[in-house]
Amino acid sequence: MTQQGAVLQGYNNELVKCIEDLCMQKEELNKQIQQAEEEKNKLQHEIQVLSEQLECVCESLAQKVASRNELDKILAETEAAYMKILDSSRTLLNVLKKEVGSLKHSPDLKTN
């Protein structure tokens, strides 16, 4: 019976050691889980901050694009108006040259 008690005590000691090993593994796993959760929370916060920054940049970009489009429109209208002025000036110059040319050929303006 003493031998059976010793074997049982050996099994008990092994069982206690296995339980202790499992508890140590659980503690280590809990530490890893806690670290992973902290990293996850940190990353989620960074994502939130970056998302807010992205939203601000997108709004600013949209405003700048709208301003640029308005400036493009104004510039195109101004260039078109300027081209009309140039065309009118050219037409006026041609008319004036014809008038001056016909005046030179007029008998009233010929000098003696």
Side-chain angles (χ1 to χ4, degrees):
M1 183 98 159
T2 304
Q3 189 176 6
Q4 290 174 342
V7 169
L8 185 59
Q9 184 65 36
Y11 290 154
N12 187 47
N13 288 345
E14 247 185 271
L15 184 58
V16 167
K17 178 150 176 40
C18 284
I19 291 172
E20 287 174 351
D21 286 346
L22 288 174
C23 286
M24 287 174 47
Q25 287 178 5
K26 179 184 172 187
E27 286 179 30
E28 180 60 31
L29 193 54
N30 279 338
K31 287 179 186 176
Q32 291 174 3
I33 289 171
Q34 183 178 2
Q35 289 173 345
E37 286 176 345
E38 289 173 359
E39 180 69 13
K40 177 186 145 202
N41 290 337
K42 176 185 166 195
L43 290 172
Q44 284 178 327
H45 176 71
E46 289 176 10
I47 288 171
Q48 181 181 356
V49 168
L50 289 173
S51 293
E52 290 170 3
Q53 290 176 347
L54 178 61
E55 185 178 337
C56 288
V57 168
C58 286
E59 288 175 8
S60 175
L61 180 61
Q63 290 173 350
K64 289 177 181 177
V65 167
S67 293
R68 182 191 61 194
N69 291 343
E70 184 64 25
L71 287 174
D72 284 345
K73 179 182 170 188
I74 291 169
L75 185 58
E77 290 172 356
T78 302
E79 287 175 344
Y82 183 68
M83 293 306 291
K84 287 181 182 179
I85 291 170
L86 288 178
D87 190 46
S88 295
S89 294
R90 187 185 68 230
T91 302
L92 177 61
L93 180 61
N94 288 338
V95 168
L96 185 60
K97 284 180 179 178
K98 284 181 185 178
E99 290 296 321
V100 168
S102 62
L103 283 177
K104 286 182 181 177
H105 295 94
S106 171
D108 294 335
L109 289 180
K110 290 187 179 177
T111 57
N112 292 349

